[in-house]
Amino acid sequence: MERDSAGSGEKKKVAVSLRRRGIHEDMSSDANPQTSHDGVTTDVARARWTLLRQVLRQKQMDNPEVKQVSVRRFASFGLFSRRRLSSQDPSQEQWVEYRSVFFPEYSALLRDNMGPLRVNEVLTSFDNTGNVCVWPSEEAMAHYCLHNRHMFKGAVCELGGGMTCLAGLMVAVCADVKEVLLSDGNEMSIQNVRGIVERNAQEGRFRSTHVSTRVLRWDCETDMSSLEAHFDVVMCADCLFLDQYRGSLVDAIRRLLQPDGVALVFAPLRGDTLRMFCQLAQQAGLLVSQRQQYDTQVWDVHLKMLQEGKEAYDENIHYPLLITLTKAPKGQ
């Protein structure tokens, strides 16, 4: 595919167009037809990539199948309010304040307009599934972190945080921790997160916590060895669906955790993906605990959606369970 040769104004229009269409989370499936994010077929995955290419080339959305798969269904548990900050120049990047509905004393600024989007970056990057917006699992994890802020201590790492790392940001904002590392395997994501950290730091939202960002690939020995046994808490949201990285994620969690550390993994069932992840974690010697009801507010929204029979809500792909991982004591 050709590189984007349009001017910066056109590229910003492309980026806005892409976000408005709410590209669904399964775009990575086309690279691996056997990988399932929510049980979609190869044809649907191919249609999602067709959508992306059409948006990037400014083509018309005439294909009914492409229109159907482009709709982002269930978007939020309603745990955070969003307030767009005013800007004198509409061409400049837009900032949105995410404020907790249940803990309104805590908020963070996220960058809404990510700027120019290059075709080659999107289609060849490490993983683009978290690059568009805040997904329900990330939202639920961020809320859980606020609700359980006293459990965090020492050093905290978020893996696969996408364009926002919202949960990790909330830990940095609310918890009494020494350091927070916000990471993703995608360079474009980390560039955006780095700007978010700088903006929030300028406004004094992190107090004395040191917040850093970096590209961190779970299957990269250099990345892992430099952070071996460094973190008290490791967390990630909805990162289990890619078959080729599931084992690497388990190994990364095992290596990054301190001996008495804990990992928090938020993920929906999504077919057999969660079960397979838990199986791999057990095989790696980690102790696995699974909870369906871990927070009253999230559970209440979940039940309401089920009771009302919302067509957009699919429990299998939208409601995240909480998986807790710890290292087995030596000798076991």
Side-chain angles (χ1 to χ4, degrees):
M1 178 173 290
E2 70 274 18
R3 289 180 178 268
D4 183 12
S5 59
S8 60
E10 282 300 311
K11 289 188 286 185
K12 288 184 178 180
K13 291 180 182 179
V14 170
V16 172
S17 178
L18 183 62
R19 289 195 301 280
R20 284 177 178 172
R21 284 173 170 81
I23 292 179
H24 201 49
E25 54 259 61
D26 304 25
M27 294 189 300
S28 58
S29 297
D30 187 59
N32 180 5
Q34 302 304 315
T35 299
S36 172
H37 195 160
D38 58 356
V40 298
T41 63
T42 302
D43 290 339
V44 176
R46 186 178 297 112
R48 289 194 177 98
W49 276 109
T50 301
L51 164 66
L52 177 57
R53 295 186 182 103
Q54 287 181 340
V55 171
L56 293 172
R57 291 173 173 174
Q58 295 290 285
K59 290 185 177 181
Q60 297 298 318
M61 300 294 293
D62 296 328
N63 188 321
E65 182 186 21
V66 171
K67 289 182 180 179
Q68 180 180 1
V69 300
S70 71
V71 177
R72 185 177 179 219
R73 296 179 289 175
F74 177 71
S76 170
F77 285 103
L79 303 171
F80 291 85
S81 63
R82 299 176 77 252
R83 181 177 68 88
R84 186 176 298 277
L85 304 185
S86 59
S87 175
Q88 299 298 324
D89 186 353
S91 66
Q92 297 297 313
E93 57 194 22
Q94 300 296 310
W95 289 87
V96 177
E97 181 186 59
Y98 269 69
R99 183 173 295 275
S100 171
V101 171
F102 295 95
F103 306 97
E105 64 270 32
Y106 299 116
S107 65
L109 298 179
L110 302 184
R111 183 155 48 188
D112 192 45
N113 186 346
M114 276 76 80
L117 184 65
R118 296 182 181 277
V119 174
N120 62 306
E121 289 177 346
V122 173
L123 297 183
T124 63
S125 292
F126 175 69
D127 173 31
N128 295 291
T129 52
N131 288 356
V132 180
C133 49
V134 176
W135 299 108
S137 292
E138 179 79 14
E139 178 195 17
M141 184 167 73
H143 171 78
Y144 180 88
C145 290
L146 291 175
H147 198 177
N148 299 275
R149 54 193 175 276
H150 300 300
M151 72 169 284
F152 293 94
K153 62 177 183 178
V156 179
C157 174
E158 178 172 3
L159 298 174
M163 277 285 191
T164 66
C165 292
L166 178 63
L169 280 175
M170 287 300 161
V171 171
V173 167
C174 75
D176 184 17
V177 296
K178 180 179 179 181
E179 63 174 292
V180 173
L181 173 62
L182 308 178
S183 72
D184 193 83
N186 184 289
E187 177 63 39
M188 185 169 62
S189 293
I190 292 304
Q191 289 177 6
N192 192 66
V193 173
R194 190 171 295 123
I196 290 174
V197 169
E198 291 174 356
R199 176 68 184 272
N200 283 277
Q202 289 172 0
E203 300 204 359
R205 294 175 184 260
F206 299 145
R207 296 181 292 181
S208 61
T209 300
H210 175 68
V211 184
S212 61
T213 64
R214 67 175 289 178
V215 174
L216 189 62
R217 300 195 178 191
W218 312 329
D219 57 352
C220 177
E221 175 60 28
T222 302
D223 290 353
M224 290 298 105
S225 60
S226 65
L227 296 170
E228 194 96 29
H230 183 74
F231 296 100
D232 298 277
V233 180
V234 174
M235 57 186 186
C236 64
D238 209 353
C239 293
L240 312 184
F241 50 86
L242 293 174
D243 294 339
Q244 65 267 42
Y245 297 124
R246 198 175 297 125
S248 297
L249 175 57
V250 169
D251 189 57
I253 291 173
R254 181 186 60 81
R255 296 183 64 178
L256 294 174
L257 278 180
Q258 292 190 11
D260 58 348
V262 60
L264 306 175
V265 179
F266 284 74
L269 290 173
R270 213 179 288 282
D272 286 335
T273 59
L274 187 142
R275 180 189 61 79
M276 290 187 289
F277 172 81
C278 291
Q279 186 178 47
L280 288 173
Q282 290 175 330
Q283 292 173 354
L286 295 172
L287 302 180
V288 180
S289 173
Q290 179 175 312
R291 294 173 60 188
Q292 185 180 32
Q293 299 183 42
Y294 50 84
D295 182 88
T296 302
Q297 285 84 26
V298 179
W299 184 250
D300 286 347
V301 175
H302 167 62
L303 292 181
K304 181 180 179 181
M305 300 298 275
L306 291 179
Q307 291 168 358
E308 295 180 355
K310 295 291 186 180
E311 184 178 352
Y313 186 71
D314 185 338
E315 179 179 12
N316 179 62
I317 63 174
H318 293 132
Y319 182 73
L321 281 69
L322 169 58
I323 308 300
T324 302
L325 305 176
T326 55
K327 290 185 176 181
K330 290 185 178 180
Q332 289 192 5

